[in-house]
Amino acid sequence: DVTINDRAGFIANALLFGYLNHAVTMYEGRYASREDIDAAMKLGCGLPMGPLALMDLIGLDTAYEILDTMYRRGGRDRRHAPAPLLKQMVTAGLLGRKNGRGFYTYEKAGSPVVITDESTPAPAEDAGAAGDIHQKIRKVGVVGSGTMATGIIEVFARNGYDVVSVTRGAERSTTLSEAFKKSLAKGVIRGKLSEEDRDAALARVNWSATLDDLADVDLVVEAVVEELSVKTALFSSLDDICKPGTILATTTSSLPVIECAMATSRPSEVVGLHFFNPAPVMGLIEVVHTIRTAPETVETARALVESLGKHPVVCADRAGFVVNALLFPYLNDAVRMVEGSYATADDIDYAMKLGCGYPMGPFELLDVIGLDVSLAIQRELYLEMREPGFAPAPLLEQLVTAGYLGRKVGRGFRDYR
């Protein structure tokens, strides 16, 4: 049991339906396909269902009534104002699984079996028909020296790509190399990698401390610090160094990809490849295209992701892309609940895990991600959306200012020392 104050939606519905409504708005704006939105949240966050499939299960009429009630009786929070598409679908009789048609089309009323309809995406162009992706992308450069860079190097090397790793110095290259070897050794011990495959992966990587060694690569993946000025300066340098036709990719999780693209003379060849941490384990990569990205660049990136054994989610360039844009406002809403003394962090975590089947409660997840990282992403979302509901919760700002950043320092919403 969880103890809460009397407020429309209580804990689970108040947090869940704001997130679901945001997903409907994202789909309504044609930002990403229904399949990609749902796959992003399942693979990127480990949720049991995607938001649009869950709306179909709940019933769109039920969801509309819950949102409308929370909006009218809960302070008229814009996050709970039902998306116009939701009202239109309910009026049209598209209620979800209960009558066989909602965001998806089902085999029959009450069936969980999804069937093909007019909104089902056409099969992606076969990578072989457009030329084997390994023929297009033979050598990959990875710039960065952190955990993400290590994981990305491993992903490419284990899938047959030659890799040039560039860091800021020989010492960092040595550290990165040791981390890479250690990760591969763990794979062998756990039976997920043979010794032969480990040796082959090790042989595919060259370690460097100079960007000039990227002159002949076919793709560069940037994984440096999440600061726009640093990234744009790097892309400007890469534009001068890399050969024509080289695709330049950023792994940013929330910054505008178009800023990186416009720092080059080849914006049509710049794309976002948002890997999730840990890169070797997580099955999702968001492929982010700007208004200047060429369709062939997007298709090459999508095929590349599939060649890595990952699921590509293609979306436009907007703060947070799909996963972070849906996840962090939900986390921020949870912080506001604690801030307003509505419920405790423990009770909110229990409500979302036991009531919604989430693998982690919002405060467990915030402490794992890092409160400073979470605050930075929420600030970017608010800067772009300019909606009051997206403004970072003051409590989150205060904890970061106090140095309580989560598990990595032993103290966040909980004390781990």
Side-chain angles (χ1 to χ4, degrees):
D1 66 283
V2 296
T3 304
I4 55 177
N5 293 319
D6 185 16
R7 191 172 78 183
F10 309 130
I11 294 177
N13 281 357
L15 292 179
L16 176 66
F17 279 86
Y19 149 72
L20 296 178
N21 196 43
H22 191 185
V24 175
T25 302
M26 189 176 280
Y27 176 64
E28 182 177 27
R30 300 178 183 273
Y31 177 65
S33 70
R34 62 191 181 183
E35 289 84 0
D36 276 355
I37 292 171
D38 280 353
M41 300 313 291
K42 288 167 63 180
L43 296 174
C45 298
L47 301 186
M49 295 183 73
L52 301 180
L54 181 55
M55 288 287 265
D56 277 355
L57 177 61
I58 293 168
L60 273 63
D61 49 346
T62 302
Y64 179 85
E65 290 299 329
I66 291 173
L67 282 165
D68 186 55
T69 299
M70 288 195 296
Y71 177 69
R72 288 186 290 105
R73 300 186 180 181
R76 297 189 177 274
D77 184 344
R78 290 285 303 165
R79 298 250 298 139
H80 292 145
L85 177 61
L86 190 56
K87 178 64 177 294
Q88 293 167 19
M89 293 179 73
V90 171
T91 304
L94 306 177
L95 306 182
R97 281 195 199 179
K98 65 174 75 175
N99 71 346
R101 186 72 188 267
F103 287 101
Y104 295 90
T105 300
Y106 298 87
E107 194 174 50
K108 60 182 179 180
S111 172
V113 180
V114 175
I115 61 174
T116 301
D117 61 17
E118 65 276 8
S119 297
T120 302
E125 182 181 356
D126 181 63
D132 180 30
I133 190 63
H134 279 275
Q135 295 301 315
K136 288 185 175 182
I137 309 291
R138 295 174 181 270
K139 184 184 290 188
V140 176
V142 178
V143 183
S145 55
T147 301
M148 282 306 302
T150 308
I152 293 168
I153 291 166
E154 181 176 340
V155 168
F156 279 109
R158 287 180 60 170
N159 285 279
Y161 292 92
D162 291 330
V163 181
V164 178
S165 166
V166 178
T167 65
R168 286 186 293 176
E171 185 176 341
R172 287 181 179 268
S173 287
T174 299
T175 301
L176 206 65
S177 174
E178 290 303 317
F180 174 57
K181 292 175 183 177
K182 185 176 180 180
S183 181
L184 292 179
K186 285 183 179 178
V188 173
I189 292 171
R190 293 171 180 170
K192 296 181 178 180
L193 188 68
S194 69
E195 292 186 1
E196 291 77 12
D197 288 340
R198 175 201 61 194
D199 293 342
L202 288 169
R204 292 189 186 107
V205 183
N206 290 312
W207 307 95
S208 171
T210 174
L211 291 174
D212 290 338
D213 287 338
L214 300 175
D216 65 340
V217 301
D218 305 300
L219 165 75
V220 178
V221 178
E222 164 274 308
V224 300
V225 65
E226 193 77 343
E227 290 183 14
L228 189 57
S229 60
V230 176
K231 291 181 184 292
T232 53
L234 173 61
F235 270 76
S236 179
S237 296
L238 292 173
D239 186 41
D240 293 335
I241 293 168
C242 296
K243 65 186 180 182
T246 297
I247 295 175
L248 307 180
T250 174
T251 61
T252 182
S253 60
S254 59
L255 298 176
V257 178
I258 189 64
E259 295 281 359
C260 295
M262 297 311 294
T264 75
S265 63
R266 57 178 97 187
S268 64
E269 296 171 347
V270 176
V271 70
L273 287 179
H274 180 213
F275 288 75
F276 288 76
N277 193 29
V281 175
M282 297 297 283
L284 177 73
I285 298 177
E286 290 176 317
V287 177
V288 186
H289 60 85
T290 75
I291 57 175
R292 295 289 299 269
T293 307
E296 54 267 29
T297 301
V298 177
E299 176 55 28
T300 298
R302 187 202 59 76
L304 174 74
V305 170
E306 289 186 341
S307 77
L308 299 174
K310 308 290 186 182
H311 185 100
V313 162
V314 178
C315 60
D317 182 21
R318 198 175 74 180
F321 313 134
V322 176
V323 174
N324 285 351
L326 292 177
L327 174 64
F328 281 89
Y330 149 75
L331 297 176
N332 197 51
D333 287 347
V335 177
R336 289 184 182 278
M337 278 189 174
V338 168
E339 187 175 64
S341 301
Y342 177 67
T344 67
D346 286 344
D347 279 351
I348 293 171
D349 277 356
Y350 281 128
M352 298 313 294
K353 290 194 293 184
L354 301 178
C356 297
Y358 281 25
M360 299 179 75
F363 297 100
E364 289 179 276
L365 185 54
L366 280 162
D367 279 352
V368 168
I369 294 169
L371 273 59
D372 51 341
V373 174
S374 302
L375 177 60
I377 292 173
Q378 192 62 39
R379 281 174 173 166
E380 288 295 329
L381 292 172
Y382 178 57
L383 185 63
E384 182 165 298
M385 304 298 182
R386 301 302 173 99
E387 284 279 357
F390 285 85
L395 177 59
L396 183 60
E397 303 239 22
Q398 292 163 14
L399 288 168
V400 172
T401 302
Y404 298 157
L405 308 183
R407 286 192 184 180
K408 59 187 171 187
V409 299
R411 176 79 182 269
F413 281 96
R414 296 184 174 88
D415 195 333
Y416 299 93
R417 291 170 293 184

